[in-house]
Amino acid sequence: LPQRAADSIARNLARQQSIAVDFPKTGVPPQIPQEVRVIVKENGYPSFMESKTKKSYSTTEPLGILYDRCVTIAGTADSKWQVNERKIVLDSAFIVTGREKYQQEADDTYRMYIQDITAFLVRFGLQSEFELIGCCALEKFNEYNLQWKMADATKSLMLKYKKIFYFNTNGDQNAIVCKISAWYYAAYVTGNSSGQYRPTLLSFPWLLMDCMELLFMKTNSNVISL
């Protein structure tokens, strides 16, 4: 529509929606404008509405752009994004003195994480950790039961590694900071070197997003926490 939400057709449709909501109380049915029916019949629905039965189109509106960028994360599984080929950028802000105490444990846990992720990818027919951890692949499964299974499996995986991480930290912030730094090092350095830890799975430390945030705040004292 030329004027988007301010267009007379859009405003009229919004009014009809309000009438539809009040229908149980008023008994007054909504009247869908004929021009709206024609537009939908000719063009279908915006892709971000994810209609499974009607045709859809990509839109250049902000919501459409955001949607298209999000769903293409799954495309990072192509050849140039294969884990053994991508360039890994290490952020020194996440490397702290004291991580060495937890490094061997982190490396061992990371190796176990690789095995778990690999098993999950095979189980659900996925190609990358981005699809699994980001739940970007849910749209691949038409059956709700399969969607639920994947979401539940991902949640269980994250809870498993959160329990492993917090074991023996006793809520000590310094211990948490050093340990999450070791997890970061395991994924971005140990796992990125030649040897037994291939492939590289960068999601490993980011399962503990709150800990990564704490680590960043500790190493960047000029950052104000809101």
Side-chain angles (χ1 to χ4, degrees), residues 18-215:
S18 178
I19 293 173
V21 171
D22 291 336
F23 174 73
K25 295 186 297 182
T26 65
V28 178
Q31 300 295 325
I32 305 301
Q34 183 60 34
E35 55 263 53
V36 172
R37 299 180 186 274
V38 173
I39 292 174
V40 172
K41 183 177 180 180
E42 292 180 351
N43 302 303
Y45 294 87
S47 56
F48 60 80
M49 294 184 70
E50 298 187 328
S51 174
K52 302 297 184 183
T53 59
K54 305 294 184 180
K55 65 179 181 179
S56 61
Y57 61 91
S58 294
T59 172
T60 56
E61 296 301 312
L63 186 57
I65 294 174
L66 286 172
Y67 173 82
D68 290 341
R69 288 185 179 179
C70 288
V71 297
T72 53
I73 290 178
T76 58
D78 61 23
S79 60
K80 70 177 182 178
W81 275 96
Q82 289 301 316
V83 290
N84 290 348
E85 299 177 11
R86 58 188 171 180
K87 181 179 180 181
I88 307 300
V89 179
L90 182 70
D91 191 335
S92 59
F94 296 118
I95 306 297
V96 300
T97 301
R99 65 162 181 81
E100 298 84 359
K101 175 181 177 181
Y102 302 94
Q103 197 58 61
Q104 185 58 57
E105 177 188 345
D107 292 346
D108 292 341
T109 306
Y110 179 62
R111 184 164 51 230
M112 180 171 62
Y113 181 69
I114 289 177
Q115 294 174 347
D116 282 343
I117 288 292
T118 301
F120 272 68
L121 297 184
V122 172
R123 175 183 176 186
F124 293 106
L126 306 180
Q127 301 182 61
S128 73
E129 62 179 325
F130 300 106
E131 291 183 284
L132 180 63
I133 302 302
C135 291
C136 301
L138 286 179
E139 62 179 18
K140 290 186 176 182
F141 304 104
N142 294 325
E143 296 182 25
Y144 174 78
N145 188 44
L146 289 177
Q147 292 182 348
W148 179 84
K149 285 183 178 179
M150 180 181 168
D152 186 61
T154 303
K155 181 180 179 181
S156 297
L157 179 73
M158 298 177 73
L159 287 175
K160 171 184 176 179
Y161 282 91
K162 285 183 178 181
K163 288 181 179 179
I164 291 174
F165 178 86
Y166 284 111
F167 182 71
N168 283 343
T169 60
N170 299 317
D172 186 330
Q173 282 200 355
N174 185 59
I176 291 174
V177 165
C178 293
K179 193 169 185 177
I180 195 62
S181 179
W183 278 41
Y184 178 83
Y185 191 91
Y188 282 72
V189 180
T190 306
N192 193 39
S193 60
S194 59
Q196 58 181 326
Y197 297 109
R198 294 264 186 197
T200 301
L201 297 177
L202 302 183
S203 59
F204 181 56
W206 300 100
L207 297 176
L208 287 301
M209 183 66 74
D210 52 341
C211 297
M212 288 294 288
E213 180 182 5
L214 177 62
L215 171 59

